[in-house]
Amino acid sequence: MWPKRVVLALLCVWDQGLSAASLSFAAAEFVPFVSVKDGQPGGPVTDIVKQACREAKIDCSFKVQSWKTSRDEITQGKVDGLFVASWERERAEWLNFSLPLLRTEWGYFVPTSDARVYSGLKSLTGYHVGVFGPSSSSEALERLKPVLNLDVQMSQDDLANVRRMLAGELDAVYMNRDVALSLLQRNGLEGQVRYVVGDSGRNYHLAFGKQADVQVVGQFNRALRQMFKANEVRQMLTRNQLEPARWSAIYQPK
């Protein structure tokens, strides 16, 4: 039998070790997934991360910064995780990804006054298309440009692209579906634009740097999986009109 004092001392050290578990996260504003208020991230994905931290009993801190800054800091071990991120082979060299949280897609919007039937990308042949860029979205359009004879017009303002389309200066705009629907709703334009062709679906994840504490990240990911099993993640996403990752349907009642 160990002396009672030794047992109590070991329990104290063990408890301190648990309470010391921490993770630091960085996020870029990306409405509707991540919003920013008073310099801190908010929105449904942030809420999911905070809830997983609470359930895992991890002390989590958050800050808002650009993707580029987050990439630099996560590779230097200055921050543990970031959100949101889609899986890419190059990113997997410096990031470990969580379970997919949600599914989104990119596609084309046209004015509701355009009553044409769109049966696929070929329906957009010869179109003048607005896109936020330079960006991965504009790069995707540039690859299609010679195939569909597109006139790709880049801008750093998604809303300006939509307004140009409604003014007849563009035939369509190419955007993330959920970002566009949120933008249209916030600006009272949802009845003037419709989504006609989706061409690129992907999942969004949380991601952790290779230098983050493996045990703490594992603790966090176990709590996140339990949230999926309890349908908490699904509910937090659907109440914000976001689509949960399709794999999570395995936890839906039959």
Side-chain angles (χ1 to χ4, degrees), residues 125-145:
T125 299
Y127 268 34
H128 304 281
V129 182
V131 62
F132 186 95
S135 67
S136 58
S137 298
S138 64
E139 290 172 3
L141 283 192
E142 289 293 339
R143 288 192 292 271
L144 279 175
K145 185 175 178 177

Side-chain angles (χ1 to χ4, degrees), residues 48-65:
I48 290 168
V49 176
K50 288 182 176 179
Q51 182 63 22
C53 290
R54 284 191 290 269
E55 297 194 11
K57 296 181 171 58
I58 298 172
D59 181 17
C60 293
S61 60
F62 300 86
K63 62 180 177 179
V64 177
Q65 59 191 26

Side-chain angles (χ1 to χ4, degrees), residues 3 7 9 12 15 29 31 36 44 51 70 78 80 95 105 127 133 136 155 171 174 185 234 249 252:
V7 173
C12 183
D15 182 64
E29 185 171 28
V31 179
V36 176
Q51 182 63 22
S70 295
K78 294 180 179 179
D80 297 311
L95 288 172
E105 67 182 46
Y127 268 34
S136 58
S155 165
D171 299 309
Y174 180 75
Q185 184 177 34
R234 174 172 290 272
Q252 285 293 96

